[in-house]
Amino acid sequence: MKEYTQYPLLAHNTFGMDVRAARFVEYESEDELRRFLLSPEARTARLLHIGGGSNLLFTADFEGIVLHSAIRGWEVVAQDDDEVLLRVGAGVVWDDLVAYTVEQGWYGAENLSLIPGEVGASAVQNIGAYGVEAKDLIVQVEAVSRTTGERRVFPVEECRYAYRQSVFKQELKGEYFVTQVTYRFRKRPCWRLEYGNIRAELAKDGGALTLQRLREVIVHIRREKLPDPAVTGNAGSFFMNPIVPQSRFEELLREYPDLPHYPAGEGTVKLSAGWLIDRCGWKGRSLGPAGVHSRQALVLVNLGGATGADILRLSAAVQSAVRERFGIDLHPEVIFL
Ligand code: EPU
């Protein structure tokens, strides 16, 4: 286990906030995590478990203990001619896993290429892009209880997955820390090409459809739209896409026939927050050092030296613009600390 005090978090948050954690603890095994959680220090402290820090906005130093998993590696736990079950450590970088599955010729994760963050967060956050969500691949999640230190295995049904939601963010928030995730990958093609301009991009050079090509196309689309956190601080989509009742959607559609929308389950429709913000004229605008990205309005960026408060001010301005024009409340996907 590695432990630090007054630890700089700059390299642990993609927004590029220069803040510190009073304590930082990185564990390498489930046992280390359990021993730490049962220690007197952990019992009373405020704990924050982070992954790649790609979904966090620090507004101040963190006066508690930041925990990080260094449980890495993966193992095949079962396979047959059709599929393979891979058990993966929570501290594995998500895109390293995707790259590996593509190399192996295993299908399922390719549309989730280049999503920042780690495997543990994929299961907490139910990351998703281009028509696929982590829940489509997850078989089970292993986690350790903060209170008892005991391991619990959550079959996917018990994770209560929904759009960017899980039991770990809701009913059991703060109570379980993910240690391993088991995913199912297919050995035969199961392409998901309907979303956005995937097909158009694939058609551009006319080559055969392969896993590697689809990964390249997804990486290309993301790089075109989303700012590279190594260059411009950001946390990907800042808000969740709002889910509205069917009736509200129909009203809006009459006024805005080009309103992008996606099915979201019985009687509801998911709208595009980026489109709503764009339509309010906020795309590419800024408030001081906090900006709305010029190629994807759903992404707020640190234009250089922004504080958490600067980003919050911009976020509030964007929310009130969307509320005023469309009567819709945008909820942040990013977690404020
Ligand atoms: N749009 C605009 N203007 C904008 C942004 C978007 O008009 O500034 C329109 C697009 O033209 C398109 C629609 O809105 O018709 C949707 O845009 P996009 O495909 O870029 O996806 P999104 O709904 O804005 C979601 C995820 C992304 C994910 C993409 C692709 C959320 C909160 N975000 O964004 O996830 O990569 O779909 O599947 O669900 C993330 O969570 O950090 C993230 C980047």
Side-chain angles (χ1 to χ4, degrees), residues 22-33:
R23 296 260 291 139
F24 186 90
V25 171
E26 188 173 68
Y27 57 88
E28 276 159 32
S29 67
E30 188 186 307
D31 262 348
E32 276 188 5
L33 170 62

Side-chain angles (χ1 to χ4, degrees), residues 130 163-164 195 225 237 241 272 275 278 283 296-297 333:
Y130 308 104
Y163 169 62
R164 299 289 195 273
Y195 192 99
K225 282 194 175 182
S237 301
N241 283 331
S272 162
W275 186 92
D278 193 346
K283 192 172 184 165
Q296 161 55 293
E333 178 183 335

Side-chain angles (χ1 to χ4, degrees), residues 54-55 111 115-116 125 127-132 163-164 195-197 222 225-226 235-241 258 260-262 270-279 283 292-299 333:
S54 50
N55 208 31
N111 288 33
I115 293 186
Q125 172 72 0
I127 57 173
Y130 308 104
V132 177
Y163 169 62
R164 299 289 195 273
Y195 192 99
N197 53 345
R222 287 187 75 93
K225 282 194 175 182
L226 301 168
S237 301
F238 194 87
F239 301 102
M240 288 192 262
N241 283 331
D258 58 337
H261 57 278
Y262 311 88
K270 186 158 80 183
L271 305 180
S272 162
W275 186 92
L276 299 169
I277 298 167
D278 193 346
R279 271 307 180 95
K283 192 172 184 165
V292 178
H293 187 50
S294 56
R295 272 173 282 156
Q296 161 55 293
L298 192 46
V299 179
E333 178 183 335

Side-chain angles (χ1 to χ4, degrees), residues 239-242 273 276-277 318-319 322-323 328-332:
F239 301 102
M240 288 192 262
N241 283 331
L276 299 169
I277 298 167
V318 165
Q319 280 172 315
V322 170
R323 195 177 305 122
I328 291 176
D329 286 321
L330 292 184
H331 299 288

